[in-house]
Amino acid sequence: MKTRSFLLIWMCAGLLTSCSLSYISKNTLKPLLITDRVRSDSDDPAIWVNRKDTSESLIIGTDKGGDTGEGGLYVFNLHGKIDSTKTVMLKRPNNVDVAYDFNFIGEKKDIAVCTERNTNSIRVFSLPDMKAIDGGGIPVFEDSDMRSPMGIALYTDEKGSIFAIVGRKSGPMEGYLYQYKLISDESGRVSASLLRKFGKLSGRKEI
């Protein structure tokens, strides 16, 4: 996505149910807010909802860093303003996701997890302070020559365990996606345990 801002679009249910989507044009839907500009190349946003005070929720967006890869996780308030105290500079972050109530040293913490392509790792940050709790990064696709992590999605099972499914720029036709379980140890560092490899690569485009 070659843009430097994130568009925040609000669509009411009545609009969607009262008219066909085929008639909704760019002239009909307009963003209520446009975030401050990031430095290079905005790509993927995630929204963290502050359950104690929803007005203090955050928008977390990746800046891939353009040709240099000097990007970051940019954190915005709900007015679209960058919070420089929470923004983290990284080596070509690609996608980001959030999860709630991660079991971190016996406490429940919300987390943001992103891929960092130029270090072949995923990064884990506590929310809302955006403090790194991964010891500098968790390597992924270690057993493959094809790494370059790109896509990431988190999910929580019925026991409260949190998992990351990670995609990459290219990979084998079988076992293209890796699923990791996120784990915290007594020292306060998050690591990941590889559980399985699954999914087929189309050969046309990465996930």
Side-chain angles (χ1 to χ4, degrees):
M1 181 186 293
K2 297 298 182 182
T3 179
R4 294 185 179 182
S5 302
F6 296 92
L7 306 182
L8 309 180
I9 300 174
W10 184 270
M11 297 189 299
C12 68
L15 175 65
L16 293 178
T17 56
S18 63
C19 63
S20 169
L21 286 175
S22 62
Y23 291 99
I24 298 176
S25 70
K26 65 181 180 180
N27 295 320
T28 305
L29 295 179
K30 297 182 183 297
L32 291 180
L33 292 171
I34 300 176
T35 66
D36 288 343
R37 293 165 66 92
V38 301
R39 185 169 59 182
S40 299
D41 184 8
S42 62
D43 187 66
D44 182 56
I47 297 174
W48 172 73
V49 177
N50 186 327
R51 291 168 290 180
K52 294 180 179 179
D53 182 355
T54 54
S55 69
E56 296 295 321
S57 300
L58 300 173
I59 304 157
I60 305 164
T62 60
D63 174 11
K64 293 191 292 187
D67 294 336
T68 67
E70 298 295 327
L73 276 184
Y74 279 76
V75 180
F76 308 84
N77 63 26
L78 292 186
H79 300 286
K81 301 301 181 184
I82 292 173
D83 185 337
S84 60
T85 66
K86 293 181 171 64
T87 293
V88 182
M89 296 296 104
L90 296 171
K91 302 290 186 180
R92 197 171 181 83
N94 207 89
N95 283 180
V96 61
D97 201 1
V98 301
Y100 299 84
D101 295 331
F102 176 62
N103 186 4
F104 183 72
I105 328 176
E107 299 180 4
K108 299 294 186 181
K109 278 191 177 291
D110 299 342
I111 56 174
V113 186
C114 74
T115 50
E116 189 175 28
R117 283 181 65 189
N118 286 3
T119 64
N120 294 317
S121 65
I122 59 175
R123 301 299 313 272
V124 184
F125 301 89
S126 60
L127 287 166
D129 56 355
M130 289 297 291
K131 177 183 177 182
I133 54 174
D134 57 7
I138 302 170
V140 291
F141 305 119
E142 290 184 279
D143 59 354
S144 174
D145 293 331
M146 295 175 282
R147 301 180 72 178
S148 296
M150 294 186 69
I152 189 167
L154 304 179
Y155 80 93
T156 305
D157 71 8
E158 65 279 0
K159 296 179 180 179
S161 297
I162 295 177
F163 304 84
I165 295 176
V166 188
R168 44 189 154 168
K169 182 66 177 177
S170 61
M173 300 304 293
E174 299 282 348
Y176 167 65
L177 300 172
Y178 282 21
Q179 177 183 342
Y180 297 89
K181 181 179 181 179
L182 300 181
I183 305 165
S184 70
D185 60 30
E186 294 180 356
S187 69
R189 179 180 181 274
V190 178
S191 60
S193 173
L194 175 62
L195 295 186
R196 64 171 174 149
K197 309 170 188 180
F198 71 104
K200 295 183 178 181
L201 177 64
S202 68
R204 296 190 300 272
K205 191 72 176 175
E206 72 275 359
I207 296 176

